Amino acid sequence: PQHIVLPESLDRRILEAAAYVTQRGLAHITLLGDSTVVTAEARKLGLDISKCRIQNPADPPELDKYVDALVEARKKKGLVRDVAFDTINGDINFYGVMMVHCGDADGMVSGACHTTAATVRPAMQVLKNPKYPLISSVFFMC
């Protein structure tokens, strides 16, 4: 199964999807957030997310790797390490994109709580590839 990172881990819909997907073995899921808070929210909703990995981006074990990778990816734009650090620490979508960029996740699903621009911008800045010049977005209202 693919490994998908979900930055919006406090949204009910995201937690429901994470529980559903992992219990059926459809994907490995990493929820971004404080494990105590995320687990409490899932428990409050009656959801079993025990098969999900929860990673706190405020205390990331991979932070140096992600910062270095972002500096490398954006070096033509003159990005310096301090700004890269602040960017990753201040934007949970950027953190998720860096997980994908560094091979720690196969994909990211976001946009339940964030605008399309806030979700897509980090991906366009880091994951862009001249071979694939287009980006696509979809939004369902149910």
Side-chain angles (χ1 to χ4, degrees), residues 38-107:
V38 173
T39 303
E41 185 65 21
R43 192 176 307 117
K44 183 175 87 176
L45 296 168
L47 298 170
D48 177 9
I49 59 166
S50 61
K51 294 182 180 179
C52 296
R53 177 175 169 233
I54 302 172
Q55 184 168 327
N56 189 346
D59 187 28
E62 305 292 340
L63 182 59
D64 285 335
K65 178 172 81 170
Y66 296 159
V67 169
D68 291 341
L70 182 56
V71 169
E72 180 64 25
R74 303 285 293 163
K75 68 182 174 188
K76 289 182 180 177
K77 296 288 185 181
L79 184 68
V80 295
R81 197 169 204 295
D82 290 347
V83 174
F85 178 87
D86 291 343
T87 299
I88 293 171
N89 262 345
D91 186 337
I92 201 157
N93 283 314
F94 237 110
Y95 188 91
V97 165
M98 293 313 297
M99 287 182 70
V100 174
H101 179 71
C102 291
D104 295 331
D106 298 306

Side-chain angles (χ1 to χ4, degrees), residues 17-33:
Y20 181 91
V21 165
T22 55
Q23 289 178 4
R24 285 160 183 75
L26 302 173
H28 301 289
I29 298 292
T30 295
L31 296 164
L32 296 182

Side-chain angles (χ1 to χ4, degrees), residues 119-121 123-124 132-137:
T119 301
V120 172
R121 185 178 304 109
M124 295 209 41
Y132 305 105
L134 298 176
I135 190 162
S136 178
S137 172

